[in-house]
Amino acid sequence: MQEQSKLNHELEQELLKKHMDITMLQGQINPHFLYNALECIRGQALIYDVPEIADTTEALSKFFRYSINTKSNVVTLREELENVNNYVKIQQYRFHNRFQIEVLYDEQEQEVFDALIPKLTLQPVIENAIVHGFERTRKNAFIKIEIIKTIRHINLLISDNGIGMNRKKLESLCNNLLKKQDAENLKNNEKSNGIALYNINRRIQLFYGDEYGLTISSLEGIGTDVEIHFPFLLVQ
Amino acid sequence: MRKEIIRASHLRKSYEDFQVLKDFNMNLYEGEVMGIIGLHDSGKSTVLNILSGKEAPTEGSIFFNEKKADMRELNKQGKVFLVQKNSALIDTLSILDNIFVVKKHNQKKVWLKQGPIYKQVVQNFEELGISISPLTKVGKLTEEGHYIIEIIKAYILGAKVIFIDDILTGYPNEEYIYLIRIIEKLRKKGVSFIISGYQVEKIQMYADRIIFLVNGKSVKVIKNMRRNQIDPQKILFEDSRLNFHYPTEKFKCDNVQFKVMDLHGEGLKNSQLQINKGEIVLIIDILKDTNQLLFQWFNNENKCFSADIYINDNLYDKRTKKNSNFLLTEDFNTENKIVECLSLSDNLCLSQHKKFSVFGFIKKSRVQFVKNDFLKWAGGWGDTDSCRHLSQKEKINMLLYEIELKKARVLLCKNPEEVVDYNDYLLIENQLKRLAQNGMSIGIFASNMNRVQIIADSFMFISDGRIKGKYNMSEFKTFFYGAAEK
């Protein structure tokens, strides 16, 4: 029974990882072709002295490398934040620097950046904040990532001042987080923002335990908070 | 590095068929003050009861110092403490003795030296700037003083988290300041607080973060600095559903029996209240805070208001309670109103001791008469004279009979719908109708009204700092819809 449970656990982890990979690799793009093409664009941008294009292209290249790289499921918080930084750079270019992102942490707790976190935990949350929180509004977007280290855990609080969501939507999202979804549901709900959050929540739970994961709170017109709670573990 | 002292994860709580908490999540850091804001019945008290270990959740987990914890055990150890409206201090003992008794119990010793404890208490009082002597009898303290001492007592006995359940709404801001200073000093010593209420402007005076609790779910946590960006009424009322039954309009008797003039105080200015003989008036306050304070004031539980009260045009002094049978207040809370070790007849006569006794004695025949009268009145009581293990219905019956016996001219009561379950409510509803038919003026303080509006003759509203009305049913519909749509 225990072996069966362990096997189910591993299968579910694998399924979630695959789902993430598939989402990233949609369109069957050859990564090397992509990197090379982006490098060419970057080169041209530098020649023609357009640093914004060069920077954005570099960020895009790094973003894809990070996302597609299948070497490890777990990265450091530093690496994950670097990926978020690259993603935000791209969006800044797209939305004409409407976004401001701030990372708050205790400067005396530098080791927090070496903490392990499942790969692609933060970026989808930021993406949700931008896509669902700010895309349909003209106001300047502010996203704050607060890193709080406690004795044994890390609490990441991602807050935005976007359009937020109403009670029904919030309730539906929270209920989806709590329900275990099968492959069919994952496939059918691909376009829903809830699925990315479900994926993150479930991966954290499978990696660390059921008492960890995501909680969401939101107020329409004020913004959304996503808290990610996980244990503080360092690279061995 | 911050220390996370409490984490509540997906808490749910159900009572029989009713789910009070649906998905409550929060965390609290050491030395932090968290405010929980919610309307009446949003689940605030349930949250505090669960987190302080007085109740267990139906589902969900609680972590204390980042480890899964049994809050009941922590409550027993004094690590978490709940301060409620009904103070747990013993009035006849001094502050020191109140602390000493608990320490002795916790350490399970027969003999415990009071000297070192006294020294520690004096030192703690000095650190916190408390000028009251620890030898002061608790009974001499003001109500606010009770709460402050409860909080300090909890701290001295080792509490790491102190929960305060909605005790602060009764006080003007000046009295708050002293309490806030104590909280500030204690948080610097690493004590965390969770304080519940429904007034954002009061809670924001000391909370670092504020959770909005709506229908049993934690909807949003805001940092206090963002409080001005939100409209609490919009958050708290979004889910309000108002279902009305529309009875036919009732005939009003223009014979004012109860009059309150120049009523002013906390949340109210220059208001009046009038109830005719035989009339039932529903006094509605959706946010409940002023209503609750007003009822407590009539019940002599606070000093938040002042007014001239007339009963049949005679000035009534609420403080001295002269002619106290003229005005009766009732919250329909049966706890501590029936003495279990006494018989039924003794309990019934106890409430009317002044009326029935002659030189302190009540004749046996009178006792028997009261008992028989009650049994006839209540119907279906059974053969027992014992008051042990009475059902809620039986207790309500005794309470209602006592109201009947007192023959007061005016009854001011809480909305029974908000206090008792449906079956017991029907008992109370019938009795209120009967009392009104016999000429009693009845005022019901309500914040919601599904059924009680049916028995009301008139309606009054507390809105924008005044009591507005009286309205009949059709006027009430118009006014209430308008107010709800704001």
Side-chain angles (χ1 to χ4, degrees):
Chain A
M1 276 293 277
Q2 270 184 352
E3 269 190 41
Q4 184 65 35
S5 168
K6 197 181 169 191
L7 193 61
N8 287 342
H9 200 84
E10 283 170 3
L11 280 173
E12 194 186 347
Q13 251 180 332
E14 196 54 41
L15 177 69
L16 286 167
K17 186 184 167 300
K18 285 263 181 270
H19 183 257
M20 214 57 187
D21 291 343
I22 287 164
T23 310
M24 286 293 148
L25 290 169
Q26 212 157 356
Q28 300 287 314
I29 298 169
N30 180 338
H32 295 292
F33 168 75
L34 186 65
Y35 302 148
N36 291 338
L38 287 170
E39 205 42 48
C40 282
I41 296 168
R42 184 172 169 268
Q44 284 291 298
L46 286 170
I47 290 168
Y48 285 104
D49 196 23
V50 193
E52 301 90 9
I53 295 177
D55 287 344
T56 307
T57 316
E58 187 182 18
L60 194 59
S61 177
K62 284 181 180 173
F63 176 75
F64 279 129
R65 270 184 204 273
Y66 181 86
S67 305
I68 294 166
N69 184 349
T70 54
K71 269 187 192 164
S72 176
N73 293 334
V74 179
V75 296
T76 63
L77 187 57
R78 184 179 287 107
E79 287 168 320
E80 189 68 12
L81 285 168
E82 184 58 38
N83 184 56
V84 164
N85 197 34
N86 289 326
Y87 174 78
V88 169
K89 257 191 201 168
I90 300 161
Q91 294 287 38
Q92 292 278 40
Y93 184 75
R94 191 185 151 204
F95 289 99
H96 306 291
N97 294 322
R98 254 180 62 206
F99 298 104
Q100 221 183 325
I101 192 158
E102 190 184 11
V103 179
L104 296 175
Y105 62 97
D106 183 352
E107 284 180 7
Q108 289 175 353
E109 300 284 345
Q110 294 289 334
E111 59 174 353
V112 76
F113 294 109
D114 296 322
L116 292 177
I117 186 170
K119 194 173 161 191
L120 293 170
T121 296
L122 279 181
Q123 179 269 324
V125 176
I126 305 294
E127 182 172 354
N128 272 340
I130 293 171
V131 167
H132 298 283
F134 300 118
E135 250 187 358
R136 287 171 213 166
T137 171
R138 289 198 172 273
K139 73 175 176 183
N140 282 339
F142 190 80
I143 300 172
K144 185 178 71 176
I145 302 174
E146 195 174 351
I147 306 170
I148 298 173
K149 184 185 166 299
T150 63
I151 295 171
R152 293 160 179 248
H153 298 99
I154 292 181
N155 298 331
L156 292 177
L157 185 62
I158 302 113
S159 311
D160 65 61
N161 65 334
I163 60 170
M165 48 186 123
N166 62 34
R167 198 79 51 69
K168 273 188 185 163
K169 199 171 171 187
L170 177 64
E171 207 166 309
S172 167
L173 195 59
C174 292
N175 288 339
N176 282 340
L177 275 185
L178 295 172
K179 268 191 272 182
K180 285 197 180 164
Q181 310 230 11
D182 55 27
E184 197 59 39
N185 271 337
L186 282 172
K187 195 179 167 193
N188 291 340
N189 294 329
E190 253 174 38
K191 287 191 180 167
S192 155
N193 68 318
I195 214 61
L197 296 179
Y198 171 82
N199 188 295
I200 296 164
N201 187 50
R202 200 65 197 118
R203 280 189 296 128
I204 292 172
Q205 286 177 334
L206 286 167
F207 196 77
Y208 295 116
D210 280 348
E211 63 264 37
Y212 302 107
L214 238 63
T215 49
I216 307 167
S217 64
S218 184
L219 269 181
E220 202 166 14
I222 299 295
T224 302
D225 294 341
V226 175
E227 193 207 42
I228 305 173
H229 176 64
F230 57 98
F232 175 58
L233 295 172
L234 291 172
V235 180
Q236 296 272 321
Chain B
M1 179 173 60
R2 296 187 79 173
K3 200 172 166 190
E4 188 178 84
I5 196 97
I6 282 188
R7 174 169 285 265
S9 180
H10 303 296
L11 291 185
R12 289 175 214 279
K13 180 70 182 182
S14 302
Y15 298 105
E16 292 176 357
D17 291 331
F18 181 61
Q19 195 173 28
V20 175
L21 281 188
K22 290 162 192 168
D23 185 24
F24 181 77
N25 298 284
M26 65 142 277
N27 71 333
L28 181 72
Y29 296 105
E30 191 179 57
E32 187 181 24
V33 180
M34 173 80 85
I36 298 182
I37 301 226
L39 285 180
H40 175 59
D41 282 346
S42 58
K44 301 192 298 293
S45 295
T46 307
V47 164
L48 294 198
N49 283 341
I50 290 172
L51 294 179
S52 65
K54 284 190 175 275
E55 286 180 48
T58 313
E59 268 181 65
S61 307
I62 305 171
F63 299 85
F64 186 83
N65 274 340
E66 302 184 62
K67 289 180 201 162
K68 206 162 187 181
D70 179 353
M71 299 310 283
R72 280 171 291 189
E73 203 46 52
L74 290 171
N75 181 293
K76 282 182 198 165
Q77 293 167 14
K79 294 257 176 358
V80 294
F81 186 80
L82 175 63
V83 179
Q84 291 177 292
K85 276 207 157 88
N86 296 323
S87 170
L89 296 172
I90 304 167
D91 276 354
T92 47
L93 296 181
S94 67
I95 297 169
L96 175 66
D97 284 336
N98 268 278
I99 296 168
F100 182 73
V101 156
V102 178
K103 268 206 182 252
K104 199 168 152 194
H105 173 77
N106 287 348
Q107 292 183 27
K108 294 183 171 63
K109 284 186 176 173
V110 176
W111 298 108
L112 193 67
K113 283 185 185 169
Q114 209 177 52
I117 297 173
Y118 174 73
K119 274 186 187 164
Q120 186 203 353
V121 170
V122 166
Q123 193 186 343
N124 289 132
F125 271 39
E126 274 171 20
E127 279 172 5
L128 297 169
I130 308 285
S131 52
I132 309 169
S133 162
L135 298 173
T136 308
K137 279 246 183 328
V138 166
K140 290 192 174 170
L141 299 173
T142 61
E143 208 173 340
E144 186 214 6
H146 269 79
Y147 297 137
I148 290 172
I149 296 301
E150 281 230 63
I151 290 168
I152 295 168
K153 176 187 152 199
Y155 163 67
I156 291 171
L157 293 172
K160 294 288 177 199
V161 185
I162 297 174
F163 303 90
I164 302 178
D165 189 7
D166 202 13
I167 62 166
L168 302 177
T169 51
Y171 299 96
N173 287 345
E174 307 83 60
E175 290 190 27
Y176 255 114
I177 305 292
Y178 189 51
L179 193 56
I180 291 167
R181 277 199 204 123
I182 303 293
I183 291 173
E184 277 301 310
K185 285 181 182 170
L186 286 175
R187 56 183 286 183
K188 281 177 187 161
K189 292 181 180 294
V191 180
S192 311
F193 289 85
I194 298 183
I195 305 175
S196 76
Y198 33 75
Q199 294 173 304
V200 177
E201 62 275 8
K202 288 211 159 121
I203 285 187
Q204 73 180 16
M205 288 169 75
Y206 42 75
D208 297 302
R209 289 187 291 160
I210 301 172
I211 295 181
F212 282 88
L213 187 59
V214 183
N215 284 336
K217 281 183 173 245
S218 38
V219 169
K220 182 72 174 157
V221 180
I222 59 161
K223 285 242 169 110
N224 204 353
M225 62 192 82
R226 290 188 72 191
R227 64 193 180 280
N228 293 326
Q229 296 174 15
I230 55 113
D231 177 0
Q233 296 234 4
K234 199 182 165 197
I235 303 163
L236 299 174
F237 281 109
E238 206 186 7
D239 261 1
S240 294
R241 288 192 185 32
L242 301 163
N243 297 311
F244 291 95
H245 302 283
Y246 304 121
T248 50
E249 291 186 35
K250 292 180 176 63
F251 172 71
K252 278 187 289 183
C253 163
D254 287 331
N255 182 359
V256 176
Q257 182 162 242
F258 178 68
K259 206 162 49 179
V260 181
M261 308 295 288
D262 191 28
L263 173 62
H264 59 276
E266 187 71 18
L268 275 184
K269 44 192 178 215
N270 279 338
S271 293
Q272 283 183 45
L273 194 58
Q274 282 189 22
I275 308 177
N276 294 336
K277 191 173 178 183
E279 188 183 24
I280 299 178
V281 175
L282 203 55
I283 304 152
I284 303 159
D285 179 7
I286 297 170
L287 279 173
K288 189 187 177 251
D289 43 5
T290 309
N291 232 359
Q292 180 161 281
L293 290 178
L294 199 50
F295 177 80
Q296 286 170 355
W297 177 74
F298 279 114
N299 206 24
N300 285 322
E301 285 178 50
N302 67 42
K303 297 172 191 171
C304 290
F305 302 95
S306 71
D308 296 322
I309 302 174
Y310 297 90
I311 297 177
N312 284 330
D313 290 327
N314 294 317
L315 191 63
Y316 173 80
D317 189 335
K318 192 170 68 65
R319 279 170 307 144
T320 60
K321 287 196 180 181
K322 197 179 167 191
N323 299 320
S324 60
N325 56 319
F326 285 178
L327 173 63
L328 192 59
T329 51
E330 184 54 65
D331 60 8
F332 299 115
N333 181 358
T334 55
E335 223 174 280
N336 299 326
K337 284 184 184 164
I338 292 164
V339 184
E340 285 197 353
C341 54
L342 293 181
S343 66
L344 171 68
S345 27
D346 286 342
N347 265 292
L348 292 170
C349 291
L350 195 65
S351 66
Q352 293 297 300
H353 194 261
K354 272 188 188 167
K355 202 170 169 180
F356 291 159
S357 67
V358 177
F359 299 121
F361 296 98
I362 304 179
K363 281 186 189 170
K364 222 175 173 179
S365 55
R366 177 150 276 184
V367 171
Q368 193 58 39
F369 172 80
V370 168
K371 184 185 166 186
N372 292 341
D373 189 49
F374 169 70
L375 291 174
K376 195 174 151 189
W377 181 91
W381 182 265
D383 214 8
T384 178
D385 201 32
S386 168
C387 284
R388 289 191 191 278
H389 312 299
L390 291 178
S391 67
Q392 181 67 357
K393 182 181 173 184
E394 284 163 338
K395 288 181 186 173
I396 296 273
N397 262 325
M398 285 177 70
L399 206 67
L400 294 175
Y401 181 71
E402 282 164 17
I403 295 173
E404 177 104 23
L405 272 186
K406 281 172 184 168
K407 295 203 186 312
R409 306 265 167 91
V410 182
L411 171 66
L412 301 175
C413 61
K414 282 191 173 179
N415 181 5
E417 269 188 275
E418 297 171 34
V419 186
V420 300
D421 67 27
Y422 184 69
N423 289 327
D424 296 333
Y425 167 77
L426 291 177
L427 278 176
I428 297 172
E429 185 187 270
N430 288 334
Q431 176 63 353
L432 289 176
K433 282 195 279 198
R434 219 169 26 228
L435 289 168
Q437 276 163 9
N438 289 338
M440 193 185 267
S441 303
I442 299 176
I444 304 176
F445 291 83
S447 59
N448 60 54
M449 64 252 100
N450 286 325
R451 197 185 152 95
V452 73
Q453 59 182 292
I454 294 173
I455 60 166
D457 299 295
S458 315
F459 303 86
M460 299 184 88
F461 271 102
I462 296 179
S463 174
D464 298 327
R466 283 186 54 236
I467 299 179
K468 296 179 182 173
K470 285 185 278 195
Y471 302 99
N472 57 30
M473 179 48 89
S474 50
E475 288 165 337
F476 159 71
K477 272 159 40 184
T478 318
F479 185 93
F480 199 77
Y481 272 128
E485 277 165 3
K486 269 184 193 167

